[in-house]
Amino acid sequence: MKKYRIFSLSLVACMGLSLVACGKNVQTGSTAGNGKSQQQVERVKSDFTFLKKLGISQLDSLEFVDTFDGNSFSNHSLHLSKTQGVALLSGVVNEELIKSGGASIVGIKALPHGLTLVLYSVECGDGTFDYVCIHNKQGKRTDAMAVINQWHAIFGQYPDPMPQGHAVKNECITHCHFTAPTHFELQESFVTSHIIVNEEQPDSPAKKVKDVAVLKRVKQYDIDAQGHFVVGKTITKQSVGVDAYWLVMTKIDDIEGLPHSSNKQLDLLNSLHEEMFGPKRDEALEDRDEDLYCRMQFVLDGFYCINAQQVLKWMATHRNKSTNHLVEVFESLLSTGYIDKYDLVVAIEKMTNPEERAYMEKLTAQWGLEGAVG
């Protein structure tokens, strides 16, 4: 059986998860994380038949018109059974997580052309994997995007040494705001703060000393008639204390969060590898090799989990070792146990192009766990 690594929320965040996605049930005339009233969007009527056929009801509390607010998504969620979760999210997230019973719908919005936007959250360790998906009238998924940050997450770090009672708090919040029936923004916020905690009363509110790092961005998207996300501009609203390491980690996050329909993820990840580890890389990254490489492994493994055939075909059609920087990362997934060798052999056997299949069989023949022969 394929192994799937579970990372704690704090570890994933330290690896550089940035801020992407959507969050809560707020009706028209709402504010979207900036305190200002925003343009109202006309509601599209739908009875969400495909969800009801799966036995999913009580959808009124999950429907939003223009804004889904990440601050309170946990108060508006509908837990899915294993059968419902697999039906809706198979091919988006590892099925082992779905079958563990941790999948929920946190928001829905009817779209033109009989489409429906559904926001999901899947429990993973002490955090969540979150997704934005589009389904057609029949419930078939037409596109999906990973929400790299949780809808709303707060977690602490306790570096040593620090003055007694002091700590670091990281808070991620993301809102999804529609400005037109098929145009929306993902409004991201990540803030790292120094705080003072009452060690005698740990449940009492902490006192903020100051914000030491802030990154706030707006990502724009359209939805076409086929139900595909069309990526628009990314606008940085505020950037304070964001160093070279954080910036390159954000680039990885942005690649991981691209729509499934874009098919550009591996090309972009390959180019970013050169930026991260090539001769012209920023000198400030030199002491973060291990963190960067771990994040690269994590993302490539995620792509392989979702679409093994796409990754295998990309490897088979990019054979120049001087320009294919991902092949070495892919091999490391076998040597470190991210990917099981037997599962890889089975996946290669399913490749439909005989010449490409033969190439991958030869390439991976000696791959396997470190110290073992494949």
Side-chain angles (χ1 to χ4, degrees):
M1 178 178 292
K2 184 184 187 305
K3 297 178 180 178
Y4 190 80
R5 296 201 169 181
I6 304 300
F7 289 81
S8 71
L9 170 59
S10 57
L11 175 59
V12 171
C14 290
M15 288 167 61
L17 284 186
S18 78
L19 337 127
V20 199
C22 296
K24 165 193 166 179
N25 182 0
V26 178
Q27 297 302 318
T28 56
S30 61
T31 61
N34 59 11
K36 297 179 181 179
S37 180
Q38 301 194 28
Q39 176 183 351
Q40 296 185 5
V41 176
E42 183 178 353
R43 181 178 181 270
V44 178
K45 294 182 179 180
S46 174
D47 58 4
F48 307 112
T49 301
F50 74 95
L51 293 173
K52 292 180 179 179
K53 286 183 177 179
L54 290 173
I56 301 171
S57 56
Q58 300 177 334
L59 298 172
D60 290 348
S61 64
L62 299 177
E63 186 177 3
F64 67 98
V65 178
D66 58 11
T67 301
F68 184 85
D69 179 1
N71 283 297
S72 54
F73 86 95
S74 60
N75 298 325
H76 300 270
S77 63
L78 181 64
H79 182 76
L80 299 174
S81 69
K82 296 178 184 179
T83 300
Q84 293 167 341
V86 170
L88 293 169
L89 286 168
S90 179
V92 173
V93 62
N94 186 282
E95 287 195 10
E96 292 178 26
L97 292 179
I98 303 173
K99 292 176 180 178
S100 69
S104 300
I105 294 177
V106 298
I108 54 175
K109 176 176 173 56
L111 303 170
H113 312 296
L115 301 170
T116 301
L117 185 87
V118 185
L119 312 181
Y120 296 97
S121 185
V122 182
E123 294 178 6
C124 175
D126 59 356
T128 59
F129 288 152
D130 300 324
Y131 302 90
V132 186
C133 298
I134 301 176
H135 300 263
N136 64 16
K137 287 182 179 179
Q138 292 72 40
K140 180 180 178 181
R141 193 175 55 253
T142 58
D143 211 350
M145 293 192 299
V147 177
I148 305 306
N149 226 43
Q150 285 76 18
W151 305 116
H152 184 197
I154 300 176
F155 47 94
Q157 297 174 330
Y158 303 92
D160 184 34
M162 281 195 76
Q164 186 176 11
H166 285 241
V168 175
K169 183 181 82 170
N170 300 292
E171 183 169 14
C172 329
I173 304 174
T174 318
H175 310 285
C176 180
H177 178 69
F178 275 77
T179 58
T182 58
H183 180 83
F184 68 99
E185 299 174 344
L186 299 181
Q187 302 172 343
E188 314 166 347
S189 173
F190 188 98
V191 179
T192 296
S193 306
H194 281 171
I195 60 174
I196 299 177
V197 297
N198 187 333
E199 296 178 336
E200 296 180 355
Q201 296 179 308
D203 294 332
S204 62
K207 178 182 178 182
K208 180 187 288 190
V209 178
K210 63 177 179 178
D211 293 334
V212 294
V214 178
L215 181 60
K216 296 184 178 182
R217 302 190 301 167
V218 173
K219 292 184 173 181
Q220 299 178 343
Y221 299 88
D222 287 297
I223 300 169
D224 66 20
Q226 287 71 47
H228 295 154
F229 294 112
V230 181
V231 180
K233 296 179 180 179
T234 296
I235 302 169
T236 299
K237 293 290 188 178
Q238 186 177 1
S239 178
V240 177
V242 178
D243 59 16
Y245 173 72
W246 191 348
L247 285 175
V248 75
M249 282 296 196
T250 300
K251 291 181 180 180
I252 301 177
D253 295 340
D254 289 345
I255 293 171
E256 187 180 8
L258 284 172
H260 288 193
S261 61
S262 72
N263 295 318
K264 296 178 180 178
Q265 291 91 332
L266 294 174
D267 290 331
L268 293 172
L269 193 64
N270 188 57
S271 297
L272 186 58
H273 184 284
E274 177 70 7
E275 179 180 336
M276 291 164 59
F277 302 106
K280 297 182 180 180
R281 71 172 178 163
D282 192 317
E283 292 182 358
L285 301 176
E286 290 183 358
D287 62 344
R288 307 303 295 268
D289 281 354
E290 185 175 350
D291 292 341
L292 292 170
Y293 197 80
C294 184
R295 186 76 180 103
M296 182 73 68
Q297 287 179 312
F298 184 80
V299 173
L300 185 58
D301 181 57
F303 290 154
Y304 182 83
C305 286
I306 300 307
N307 195 335
Q309 291 302 308
Q310 182 184 35
V311 174
L312 292 173
K313 185 172 183 64
W314 191 92
M315 294 294 168
T317 54
H318 294 76
R319 303 182 186 185
N320 187 333
K321 293 183 178 180
S322 65
T323 56
N324 181 350
H325 309 296
L326 295 183
V327 66
E328 176 264 335
V329 181
F330 190 48
E331 181 180 3
S332 76
L333 297 181
L334 274 291
S335 65
T336 55
Y338 273 82
I339 297 175
D340 182 79
K341 180 59 179 287
Y342 175 78
D343 290 341
L344 176 64
V345 170
V346 171
I348 291 174
E349 289 176 349
K350 294 179 180 179
M351 296 179 72
T352 57
N353 184 303
E355 193 273 336
E356 292 175 358
R357 181 172 62 247
Y359 173 80
M360 290 304 298
E361 288 174 344
K362 182 178 180 180
L363 176 68
T364 63
Q366 299 301 314
W367 290 7
L369 282 172
E370 188 174 356
V373 177

